[in-house]
């Protein structure tokens, strides 16, 4: 059955994914001469760089998520469908979804990336990913729940497993969570749990390489390490988690850590669906694209952002970094290309402008690499705050995040420490 | 195994439930010469009167919930345990919980009430209750999800079932949801769903009695009915839902409504656990208490709020109304009684002061009954806003709710239309 979308004389561009890339593309095409169909499994765009603050009870999901329908109110040629694409039928120029078949004239894959557990099913079941607000909320509940349970545990070794936290992956996400947790341990937990000796809580950050924040400058990496060590985070470099059974973390060198919580920020995989030819799938499960963002050997099919691996950029032989900047620039680029086509203009290749990168470690502490200069510390932290607030979608969200930040900063408190468990309707009892 | 709570020379008061009654009691005892143990299944207090705004995407759960631990920071004699009491062992003066046994010297049941489905298992499985923020969130997701699905449904009768909503119960909750939904249909849905003809959406409010807002004045009831009808809500009086199979609502008089969503605000049952003698359990599953809030025939056991049914108040022969005011006054009263006991003063009976009641129907519309006078309309609505904001716990929550209200009022928008689905970790795949 075909999905119910109004017939139109316009060519139809189907965009799969409403992340940074897909949303930017749809926004730039909202007034163009195309029918745009935006498909996402959620009815909102989520602002990934602040997931960790949701997990750390500093922000609400609604402050960093924005309803797609609200965004496209008044754009009559944009159609939104909330569903998950399961497969592409390339020869028929159509997609399969639980809602029905979607035909396309042009298809754009902007599905982003999922957590990479390196094929380890036990890890996937036991470790805590953080690639959606739902996962961030789940992590928040797990942390709070474990502290509650700790109070009833008298065996010291068992208790240690409940209070310690292991973070795997020393990229921005791992560094930001570690810093946040360390501050929670310092400022909040002693007040919330006077019955607990919070100095017993240990926070581990495990990084496989020999420095944190791979891809950023040496200064940034060194300063981040220094900030974290000052907050008493145990940073373990040049090691790797090989297994985790839900209670014991084992590392490559054989050492173990007893912890029930392993936050997994150690790698991502392109989030693709069924039906792509093997030749189009590159390392990291990413779709290989040419400099026009077109998927290798697939006409009228494009890929953007984290899921795309662009060939031919000498500066990025392994593809662009999987960050918001690349995604947004590719989205804007492809919208331009579609418009140029209709205007009969030639298509130019995509060029990535590196605007810099940054990570925050806690109150007053961040590291920022701009193309021209590098800063660390308080001023970098202000830059970090400003840039993230600026990029957040929606005035209401900006206001809410700003108030929360000021509030948390002034009171040394993250007051969203609520374990709101999902409601599960009761099963009907069959009568015999 | 005994639950791990510090030994103390003080007498221990165990309070089950951190709602209006339990929280007030614990607050008033926080500096008293008792050890206070507050048990709740959630780690937060929830502000029930605004649940409907969470369901209607106007407020976030975190704005109307407050962490219990934060509330009692600095009160060394208050111990919080997040767990569910499963039974009382009265002869042993102790409670059973999944965390272990809790001994008490004095026990206070402040467990509130659950939705009453009148023993109908199909109703319980299919209808949507609203007695917790989790249930309110679930309802929000169901409403949004169904509108998304509607777009793919071409059969007109099936589509009608997806878009129509039936609300059962004409008390404040039912009236407030009906008004909110009607405004959402008027102001928001046409902008969010240009593909849908929103005038086709029907909202039904079913009330078993012959007027709305039972317990309030005739003026309030009539005005509420008038407000709702002006918003085009189909109010059905003197009828009752007898069954709902998930698709078809059947009423007592045999008429049916096709709707997938039945919001159930038609009655409550005292939320008690195992172990109470049958003689102590009164109508509506409430614990029968004397004028000192002591449960019938149970020494050192008290009940407060929705779960308590006080005998002997001539003005309330069927017990007090199950509202926040009664709960808070009982909590304050019992704290006073405990203190008087230690001071050797005699205990006085509880007297309820009726401060009035109110309900809001939408923008600029509310009905308020004060003991001395009654108002309806815009000024009543301002009173409603002020009273609810004032009673909400925590400065941050007040600020957030206020901003949201102003925002929603000015923009005619409730921007929290996010279906944030709970994360469910994958099951580990066993290898053979």
């Amino acid at each position: 059955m075909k999905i119910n979308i109004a017939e139109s004389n316009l060519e139809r561009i189907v965009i799969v994914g409403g992340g940074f890339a897909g949303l930017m593309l749809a926004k730039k095409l909202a007034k163009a001469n195309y029918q745009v169909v935006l498909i996402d499994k959620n009815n909102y765009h989520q602002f990934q760089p602040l997931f960790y603050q949701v997990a750390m009870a500093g922000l609400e999901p609604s402050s960093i998520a924005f309803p797609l329908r609200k965004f496209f109110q008044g754009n009559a040629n944009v159609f939104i469908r909330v569903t998950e694409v399961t497969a592409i039928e390339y020869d028929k120029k159509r997609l399969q979804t639980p809602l029905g078949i979607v035909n396309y004239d042009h298809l754009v894959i902007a599905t982003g990336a999922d957590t990479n557990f390196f094929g380890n099913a036990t890890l996937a079941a036991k470790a805590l990913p953080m690639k959606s607000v739902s996962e961030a909320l789940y992590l928040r509940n797990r942390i709070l729940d474990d502290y509650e349970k700790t109070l009833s545990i008298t065996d010291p070794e068992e208790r240690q497993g409940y209070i310690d936290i292991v973070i795997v992956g020393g990229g921005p996400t791992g560094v930001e969570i570690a810093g946040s947790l360390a501050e929670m341990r310092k400022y909040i937990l002693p007040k919330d749990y006077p019955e607990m000796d919070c100095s017993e809580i240990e926070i581990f950050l495990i990084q496989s390489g020999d420095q944190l924040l791979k891809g950023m400058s040496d200064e940034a990496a060194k300063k981040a390490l220094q900030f974290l060590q000052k907050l008493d985070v145990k940073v373990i470099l040049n090691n790797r988690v090989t297994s985790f059974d839900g209670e014991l973390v084992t590392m490559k060198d054989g050492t173990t850590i007893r912890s029930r919580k392993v936050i997994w920020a150690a790698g991502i995989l392109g989030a693709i669906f069924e039906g792509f030819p093997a030749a189009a799938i590159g390392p990291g499960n990413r779709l290989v694209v040419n400099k026009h963002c077109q998927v290798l050997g697939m006409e009228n099919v494009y890929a953007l952002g984290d899921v795309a691996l662009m060939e031919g950029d000498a500066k990025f032989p392994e593809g662009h970094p999987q960050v918001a900047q690349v995604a947004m620039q590719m989205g804007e680029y492809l919208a331009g290309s579609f418009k140029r086509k209709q205007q009969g203009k030639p298509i130019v290749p995509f060029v990535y402008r590196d605007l810099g990168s940054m990570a925050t470690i806690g109150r007053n502490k961040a590291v920022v690499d701009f193309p021209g200069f590098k800063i660390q510390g308080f001023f970098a932290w202000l830059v970090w705050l400003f840039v993230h607030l600026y990029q957040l979608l929606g005035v209401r969200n900006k206001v809410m995040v700003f108030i929360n930040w000021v509030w948390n900063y002034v009171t040394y408190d993250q007051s969203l420490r609520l374990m709101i468990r999902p409601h599960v309707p009761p099963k009907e009892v069959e009568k015999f």
Side-chain angles (χ1 to χ4, degrees), chain A residues 41 140 154 187 190 202 219 247 289 304 376 378 400:
Chain A
K41 55 187 166 183
R140 181 202 289 188
T154 43
Y187 299 117
E202 294 204 289
E219 292 99 305
E247 303 216 330
V289 299
L304 305 176
Q376 297 95 32
F378 180 70
M400 288 298 175

Side-chain angles (χ1 to χ4, degrees), chain A residues 383-403:
Chain A
V383 169
W384 185 94
L385 291 179
F386 175 79
V387 167
H388 283 79
L389 209 54
Y390 178 79
Q391 296 206 324
L392 198 62
L393 221 56
V395 179
R396 190 193 154 283
N397 285 2
K398 286 186 212 288
V399 172
M400 288 298 175
V401 168
F402 181 71
I403 294 176

Side-chain angles (χ1 to χ4, degrees), chain A residues 72-244:
Chain A
F72 292 103
Q73 275 183 3
N75 295 118
N77 68 326
V78 179
F79 293 79
I80 292 158
R81 288 297 179 270
V82 178
T83 188
E84 198 158 1
V85 173
T86 50
I88 175 175
E89 298 179 44
Y90 175 63
D91 51 334
K92 292 179 178 151
K93 290 185 84 168
R94 64 189 210 180
L95 297 173
Q96 291 172 8
T97 83
L99 291 182
I101 294 294
V102 184
N103 295 310
Y104 65 80
D105 296 309
H106 310 274
L107 174 66
V108 183
I109 316 293
T111 39
D114 279 334
T115 304
N116 185 2
F117 290 109
F118 303 100
N120 187 327
T122 316
L123 261 181
K126 305 285 185 185
L128 297 155
M130 228 185 50
K131 288 295 289 176
S132 69
V133 288
S134 303
E135 288 172 354
L137 266 183
Y138 181 81
L139 173 56
R140 181 202 289 188
N141 286 352
R142 271 293 305 276
I143 292 174
L144 294 171
D145 204 25
D146 274 5
Y147 285 127
E148 290 299 332
K149 286 187 180 137
T150 304
L151 301 178
S152 310
I153 296 169
T154 43
D155 175 61
E157 207 190 335
E158 190 185 354
R159 192 171 59 219
Q160 203 66 34
Y162 273 81
I163 62 178
D164 289 356
I165 299 183
V166 174
I167 302 147
V168 186
T173 299
V175 166
E176 286 166 353
I177 293 181
S180 265
L181 276 173
E183 297 203 321
M184 199 192 260
R185 172 179 62 184
K186 190 168 167 187
Y187 299 117
I188 296 173
L189 297 181
K191 280 190 280 178
D192 264 12
Y193 298 94
E195 301 171 63
M196 204 199 295
D197 180 358
C198 294
S199 67
E200 286 181 357
I201 300 172
E202 294 204 289
I203 299 162
F204 299 91
L205 177 63
I206 303 173
Q207 161 73 334
S208 55
D210 60 358
Q211 69 174 31
L212 298 173
L213 299 175
K214 195 185 141 194
M216 287 188 71
S217 64
D218 283 358
E219 292 99 305
K222 273 180 199 145
K223 203 76 188 177
L225 178 63
Q226 196 181 314
F227 284 150
L228 284 175
Q229 285 172 337
K230 213 169 159 188
L231 284 166
D232 208 18
V233 172
K234 306 250 180 293
V235 180
I236 301 173
L237 297 173
N238 296 313
N239 215 333
R240 184 192 299 253
V241 170
T242 50
S243 78
F244 172 55

Side-chain angles (χ1 to χ4, degrees), chain A residues 183 223-224 226-227 230 358-368 370 373-387 405-406 409-410 412:
Chain A
E183 297 203 321
K223 203 76 188 177
Q226 196 181 314
F227 284 150
K230 213 169 159 188
M358 50 183 79
T360 180
I361 295 97
R363 286 177 82 81
N364 309 337
K365 295 184 211 67
V367 293
V368 175
F370 282 127
F373 61 106
K374 298 166 192 23
I375 45 172
Q376 297 95 32
F378 180 70
F379 186 64
W381 180 72
L382 288 182
V383 169
W384 185 94
L385 291 179
F386 175 79
V387 167
W405 281 352
V406 172
Y409 187 77
V410 173
Y412 284 80

